[in-house]
Amino acid sequence: QVQLVESGGGLVQAGGSLRLSCAASGRTFSSVAMGWFRQAPGKEREFVAGIGWRGDMTGYKDSVKGRFTISRDNAKSTVYLQMNSLKQEDTAVYYCAAYSFTGVSGTPKYWGQGTQVTVSS
């Protein structure tokens, strides 16, 4: 069992930055891939970024490449999402997720409760 708690969301102006954190409990954190997803009002939840269990493999949604960076600290059981040059279209509830295996593949098994990110003009 893995429990995930996100933090770091908030209101920011366009062009600004936010850093999301996701603290995980459970012994399997360091051996599974992690991801960030988001869901905007009226839209389906979508993949934003993912990172393999060792942190050496990452993947991003095209629209956030070059602006967002995912990282993890296995010693702290925490995964981060650094978001720079934020745009209004980044406004959404952001969810942390844990996969079942070492790679970013398939549907995550565990989900956090989400944290709101609002980007104003």
Side-chain angles (χ1 to χ4, degrees):
Q1 187 79 8
V2 176
Q3 292 185 327
L4 306 171
V5 179
E6 303 99 333
S7 61
L11 175 64
V12 63
Q13 286 190 325
S17 298
L18 280 176
R19 187 195 197 200
L20 304 183
S21 298
C22 173
S25 63
R27 294 178 293 177
T28 62
F29 174 84
S30 61
S31 61
V32 299
M34 298 293 296
W36 286 96
F37 290 71
R38 68 186 182 188
Q39 187 168 20
K43 296 187 177 180
E44 293 188 352
R45 188 175 300 187
E46 63 180 6
F47 171 82
V48 175
I51 187 166
W53 69 287
R54 292 187 297 184
D56 55 344
M57 298 289 288
T58 59
Y60 298 91
K61 175 181 173 63
D62 284 347
S63 63
V64 307
K65 285 181 181 177
R67 299 188 298 120
F68 290 11
T69 303
I70 188 171
S71 61
R72 66 189 296 163
D73 185 338
N74 286 345
K76 295 182 178 180
S77 296
T78 302
V79 63
Y80 306 96
L81 185 67
Q82 178 67 44
M83 305 186 294
N84 299 328
S85 302
L86 282 160
K87 304 176 181 180
Q88 283 187 277
E89 51 263 43
D90 295 318
T91 295
V93 177
Y94 282 71
Y95 297 90
C96 174
Y99 290 85
S100 298
F101 304 105
T102 59
V104 178
S105 179
T107 301
K109 186 174 182 180
Y110 301 103
W111 295 87
Q113 83 288 350
T115 185
Q116 176 70 46
V117 172
T118 303
V119 184
S120 64
S121 60

